[in-house]
Amino acid sequence: MNDKKKDAISADVALEPYWEAARAGRLLLKKCTDCGKAHYYPRPLCPFCMSANTEWLQASGHGSIYSWSVERRGTPPYAIAFVSLPEGPTLLTNIVDCDLDALAIGQKVQLAFETRDELPVPVFRPA
Amino acid sequence: MSIKGKAFIAGIYEHPTRKAEGIPIAQLHAEVAKGALEDAGLGLRDVDAYYCAGDAPGLGGLSMADYMGLDVRHSDTTETGGSSYILHVNHAAAAIAAGKCKVALITLAGKPRTGGAPPGRPPMAVQPPDLPFEAPFKPTVLNIYAMVARRHMHDHGTTPEQLAWIKVAASHHAQHNPHAMLRDVVTVEDVVNSPVVADPLHRLDCCVVSDGGGAVVVVAPEIAAQLKRPKVSVMGAGEAIKHMAGGQVDLSYSAGQWSAAAAFAEAGIKPADIKYASLYDSFTITVLMQLEDIGFCARGQGGRFVADGGLISGVGKLPFNTDGGGLCNNHPGNRGGMTKILEAVRQLRGEAHAAVQVKNCDLALAHGTGGYLGTRHGSGTLIMERM
Ligand SMILES: [Zn+2]
């Protein structure tokens, strides 16, 4: 793993449940019990009201593409996207196992996990 | 308290280099500082405030004050990427209005072509909290801006050809600038037939990568009154930061919507009063978004606004980036905010190239979008008046 990424993760105790769930193929968001809003990436203090009363919320795994681009100069080329989740947040991710020329805004996608530099990260494939 | 009329842009300088082989970044900062002070008719000992951003080496403002021998009683190292220098003018004007200083020097320098920071990546000593949630997906400046363009096309029917007109306009201006990296006039076909680098952006939708730098000197009214250069007054300025809002991502507007509203409110004028606009042009889509955010056209109408030469000086409704901008002239250190100020001041002084000089240019705007348009960015808007 990239040392800098490793440092960022090992130094963050609050994220341990997130990475544990990710290793088991589950995507966790954070939800604030005071204002009721879900956010991502997860933080101990709610970015909407700064409450410390945040709890983990497991994403359903459904999503739809909010916007996308294909990095044509990548080796190989890859699709990056913002995917909107029914739980509220939109997250930055990759669309994998897809036809790079057939992506569309609004397209339904499904959660999957891939390991990148020893890190389990949430990606999406066409539903 | 307002800054309107309480500070003047007295000196400007743009480094002529586009490839600074063997010249360190600190030297470039000092050279542009010297150039801007000479342009103003001021000297090193007149400077009592210094501003720089993340492109300055070492300890930033401390290292540069040491290197140049500055004695300062006010300093600011606000970092919002390429828009930083527009925010610095705002901060310098506020400090001058508050009596904290009288002669503020602002410098930018960078050399992504010949060493130093790699293109598009400001130095980050401490890793950002988003790192493990974004970096694994390989976001680049290109694909993040591309997703804003994709969304605009989806929502408003904007076409690649309309975006291309922005590059075409910049190239029409750059042909008159002997320092510009790209001086050949290009067509819409040239742009849309250049390779797609990150859908839907083509290679020619992107700015150049160049070395160089620039500097601005902002002074108090009593200093401006003693100088010989044409008087350019700061009428209003605004700034704002927009981010991913805990996942409530909305790519349909930028922080420019807020920074421009603040600047126009302070200046007491409206977008239609502006005779010339320097718009941040890291990519064609950056310009399109700013036109709508600032209010030069309605939301979604940017494509129609720029088509058919809408931004070409002497041809279109709104002359923009008459130096060729970042798209054709230069983008020193991957930061275009400084050069946006410089060309706006040239226009107000009547010192732009004769072929692109806007007639009776008494009100001009410089706007910057720094960072990553689709994730987190800082916008600055500066409105200036020739007195
Ligand atoms: Zn909350």
Side-chain angles (χ1 to χ4, degrees), chain A residues 4-5 15 18-19 39-43 48 66-73 78 80-82 89-90 92-94 105 116 121-123, chain B residues 127 129-134 136-140 142-143 146-147 150-151 154 196-199 244-251 374-375:
Chain A
K4 284 172 177 171
K5 273 182 220 156
L15 286 175
Y18 175 89
W19 294 114
H39 73 263
Y40 191 87
Y41 52 89
R43 286 152 251 197
F48 301 108
Y66 173 70
S67 194
W68 61 277
S69 179
V70 173
E71 186 77 24
R72 297 286 170 183
R73 300 185 302 178
Y78 60 92
I80 192 162
F82 282 115
T90 293
L92 189 72
T93 185
N94 294 129
I105 287 175
R116 306 262 172 93
V121 300
V123 296
Chain B
Q127 295 301 321
D130 52 76
L131 183 84
F133 303 103
E134 295 179 17
F137 310 112
K138 293 181 276 184
T140 62
L142 261 171
N143 61 42
M147 285 196 280
R150 171 71 60 198
R151 192 70 215 184
H154 176 83
V196 172
V197 285
D199 305 53
M244 293 173 71
Q248 298 194 349
V249 176
D250 184 347
L251 301 182
T375 53

Side-chain angles (χ1 to χ4, degrees), chain B residues 58-108:
Chain B
L59 294 174
L62 303 185
S63 296
M64 289 315 307
D66 177 20
Y67 182 87
M68 291 193 273
L70 300 172
D71 293 322
V72 299
R73 58 190 179 109
H74 198 271
S75 69
D76 177 42
T77 56
T78 293
E79 168 60 30
T80 57
S83 59
S84 303
Y85 321 94
I86 294 172
L87 278 70
H88 292 166
V89 172
N90 187 24
H91 300 174
I96 289 168
K100 302 289 184 188
C101 57
K102 287 185 189 304
V103 177
L105 169 68
I106 307 168
T107 65
L108 150 77

